[in-house]
Amino acid sequence: MNNMLIIPVILPFAIGATLILFANYRKVQRFISLLASIAILASALFLAYDAYTNGITTLEFGNWNAPFGIVFVSDLFSTFMVLLSAIIGLICLLFAFYTIHPEREKFYFYPFYFFLLTGVNGAFLTGDLFNLFVFFEVMLLSSYALIVIGGTGYQLRESFKYAAINVFASILFLVGVAYLYGITGTLNMAHLAVRIGEMEQTGALQVVAMIFFIVFAMKGALFPLYFWLPRSYYGPPAAIAALFGGLLTKVGIYAIIRTFTLIFTNDPGFTHTFILWIAGLTMFFGVLGAVSQFDFKRILSYHIISQVGYMVMGLGLYTRAAIAGAVFYIAHHIIVKTALFLFAGATQKVTGTTDIKQMGGLLKTHPWLAWLFLICALSLAGIPPLSGFFSKFPLILESLVIESYGIAFVALLVGLLTLFSMIKIFVYAFWGKQAHTDEQASISVTKLLLPIVPLVMLTIALGVAAEPVFTYSLAVADQLLNPEIYIQSVLGE
């Protein structure tokens, strides 16, 4: 059973390599991609179920015992993230079938798509910091290729900025790895937790902890390192923007939560208070950017920034309920944000623009598009009974319980401003007088809505079934706040 851990990594890598051979055969690429995505989802479901019923499982490559060999670890948090990755990977792939230009498909869209999923899933499952760096690079190199597919001047210009900031983050990542190895003599996460727990002098560790936080904050788009994201995610086609917006920043957030609940826990009074401040600033400045915009995709891009603040807020509060809320919020945001970017793509298909000032009247000509969008918009803003409300509620409630009134106020204010900006999209784009031509009004988006409907159903289901979902999130939080369970599973007694 342990060998199942490699499937979400080795399968997309093998499929990506295979699809290079069929670059000029669209139908073959699509058929293989679809089968592979379904297989990845099936393996992710199995791993998530196994982690929930049988506990943490490890895979030691080459029979080299940890901490000397490479190890994969499937706990509740990592398998949960792999499952979300598999769902979003399948949905965005189906949307790409209807929207990606044939010429773009020939430029190795599908191989890089699966290479990106290889990096994402590897980052979730690895139990070693250096291999986390390796999988980050696999993910980023693939994203560089995907973000420039189409070759417009805007895409090339913004991809250069995206590449530059991530190259700097990667260099800083290696610096942090070198310092940490020099201090502890290991890079296995479980072994690092043991070594750091035994150390008496922790001053140097605080510096290293901040280096890693800066690295992951760049990749997760936290304040003040989010400046690269809104324009970078505006250029690519809708399917790629949705994949990036829903999934990529969460890899950085996953790395922050993993390292600051397992490794850098020696002085939470400093590190986690600092993280809480960053969360508040990220939420506030991100939502201000969204409120000031009048472009569909740019509003959504700025909301990525404000919403990751909620996830990091749960870590900063550092209580069982708060971390469970953060886990719940990650699931909610991945699902809803992906759906909203896909809605932006469907709307652009009809109107030919993402400027909401040039839209109007879509509610009359495309009512299903309008009402399904509104459900996800209200969910993002945190309106009950949708998933956004039940994932924000424990975060705000817990902040009040531990008397962190400032962050509670910011979270509520950001929720209100999020609602304002999403209603602004609905009023400008879907309400009012028809701004598009009758020819545009006749454009059908039924095929584009088919992949989005499951995401809309999921955000409703997560709200209706909030109690069992939050119970699962509490189980994830229990594992994260009891690192000895992870350590014993990897290193043994």
Side-chain angles (χ1 to χ4, degrees):
M1 287 298 181
N2 294 24
N3 291 331
M4 289 291 293
L5 268 67
I6 196 65
I7 291 180
V9 178
I10 197 66
L11 181 56
F13 178 78
I15 294 299
T18 302
L19 289 175
I20 293 174
L21 305 176
F22 298 98
N24 294 320
Y25 302 93
R26 290 178 57 213
K27 291 184 178 180
V28 175
Q29 286 195 94
R30 291 185 173 194
F31 180 73
I32 295 175
S33 298
L34 181 59
L35 289 182
S37 294
I38 294 172
I40 294 168
L41 178 58
S43 66
L45 282 167
F46 173 83
L47 288 177
Y49 175 78
D50 184 67
Y52 188 70
T53 55
N54 299 321
I56 298 176
T57 304
T58 62
L59 174 63
E60 296 170 336
F61 289 84
N63 290 324
W64 284 86
N65 294 332
F68 306 107
I70 297 172
V71 61
F72 273 14
V73 185
S74 71
D75 64 351
L76 290 175
F77 192 30
S78 62
T79 54
F80 184 56
M81 297 301 293
V82 169
L83 177 58
L84 290 170
S85 167
I87 293 171
I88 299 307
L90 177 59
I91 294 295
C92 290
L93 182 72
L94 292 173
F95 193 86
F97 287 166
Y98 300 117
T99 56
I100 291 293
H101 194 278
E103 287 300 316
R104 287 177 172 174
E105 288 180 298
K106 293 180 181 179
F107 285 98
Y108 306 103
F109 168 76
Y110 296 108
F112 282 114
Y113 190 93
F114 282 96
F115 290 150
L116 183 138
L117 292 179
T118 300
V120 169
N121 292 338
F124 292 148
L125 291 171
T126 185
D128 182 274
L129 268 184
F130 184 77
N131 282 286
L132 179 62
F133 166 78
V134 171
F135 284 118
F136 263 80
E137 293 309 296
V138 172
M139 176 186 74
L140 291 171
L141 287 171
S142 303
S143 68
Y144 299 154
L146 289 173
I147 208 169
V148 299
I149 284 181
T152 66
Y154 182 92
Q155 283 180 273
L156 294 173
R157 183 174 66 253
E158 294 307 318
S159 66
F160 176 78
K161 300 175 185 177
Y162 175 79
I165 187 66
N166 280 289
V167 167
F168 177 76
S170 297
I171 294 171
L172 197 58
F173 198 159
L174 282 178
V175 171
V177 166
Y179 273 122
L180 194 57
Y181 185 78
I183 294 170
T184 63
T186 184
L187 291 174
N188 180 278
M189 293 185 190
H191 202 211
L192 278 168
V194 174
R195 288 283 178 89
I196 290 174
E198 295 171 347
M199 294 181 66
E200 297 180 359
Q201 299 296 329
T202 59
L205 286 174
Q206 298 291 57
V207 176
V208 175
M210 288 300 100
I211 290 175
F212 277 101
F213 181 78
I214 291 170
V215 169
F216 299 142
M218 286 184 188
K219 299 179 186 298
L222 297 179
F223 176 87
L225 304 169
Y226 59 77
F227 54 86
W228 57 270
L229 187 146
R231 295 181 66 86
S232 296
Y233 284 14
Y234 174 79
I240 298 174
L243 183 67
F244 285 13
L247 195 57
L248 286 200
T249 51
K250 312 313 175 297
V251 183
I253 301 303
Y254 168 86
I256 291 174
I257 295 175
R258 175 66 73 191
T259 53
F260 282 86
T261 56
L262 178 63
I263 300 171
F264 303 116
T265 59
N266 53 298
D267 188 8
F270 169 73
T271 54
H272 290 68
T273 301
F274 175 76
I275 289 172
L276 192 61
W277 275 93
I278 294 296
L281 292 169
T282 302
M283 286 189 284
F284 182 70
F285 284 101
V287 81
L288 286 185
V291 168
S292 67
Q293 297 294 317
F294 283 89
D295 184 276
F296 204 144
K297 290 174 73 174
R298 285 199 173 120
I299 292 173
L300 297 180
S301 296
Y302 275 103
H303 274 312
I304 295 173
I305 299 164
S306 67
Q307 303 299 307
V308 295
Y310 283 98
M311 306 168 200
V312 182
M313 172 185 169
L315 175 62
L317 294 171
Y318 205 49
T319 66
R320 178 174 181 255
I323 291 180
V327 172
F328 195 163
Y329 200 89
I330 288 172
H332 147 75
H333 188 261
I334 288 176
I335 290 166
V336 170
K337 183 58 67 177
T338 302
L340 288 170
F341 267 102
L342 296 180
F343 279 123
T347 304
Q348 186 178 11
K349 181 77 171 179
V350 175
T351 63
T353 181
T354 56
D355 185 348
I356 60 174
K357 289 184 177 180
Q358 299 180 26
M359 300 181 191
L362 283 168
L363 179 60
K364 179 181 179 181
T365 60
H366 296 80
W368 280 105
L369 175 62
W371 293 122
L372 290 173
F373 164 81
L374 184 61
I375 292 172
C376 288
L378 295 177
S379 182
L380 187 73
I383 302 300
L386 301 168
S387 61
F389 173 80
F390 291 103
S391 55
K392 286 181 182 178
F393 181 74
L395 293 169
I396 296 172
L397 180 63
E398 195 66 11
S399 64
L400 295 174
V401 168
I402 65 174
E403 300 181 356
S404 292
Y405 300 119
I407 194 69
F409 173 77
V410 171
L412 290 170
L413 176 63
V414 170
L416 181 63
L417 292 176
T418 301
L419 178 62
F420 170 79
S421 60
M422 298 311 292
I423 293 299
K424 180 172 70 174
I425 294 177
F426 187 77
V427 170
Y428 272 90
F430 298 97
W431 203 262
K433 185 179 179 181
Q434 180 178 325
H436 49 284
T437 65
D438 291 337
E439 183 180 356
Q440 289 175 317
S442 65
I443 296 175
S444 174
V445 294
T446 303
K447 289 183 178 180
L448 302 185
L449 291 179
L450 289 177
I452 310 177
V453 168
L455 297 178
V456 180
M457 294 174 64
L458 275 175
T459 190
I460 296 172
L462 289 177
V464 173
E467 183 178 357
V469 174
F470 190 67
T471 300
Y472 181 89
S473 299
L474 285 171
V476 177
D478 286 335
Q479 279 194 355
L480 290 172
L481 290 173
N482 293 280
E484 63 274 4
I485 301 173
Y486 183 98
I487 294 167
Q488 289 179 4
S489 299
V490 175
L491 301 180
E493 297 296 334

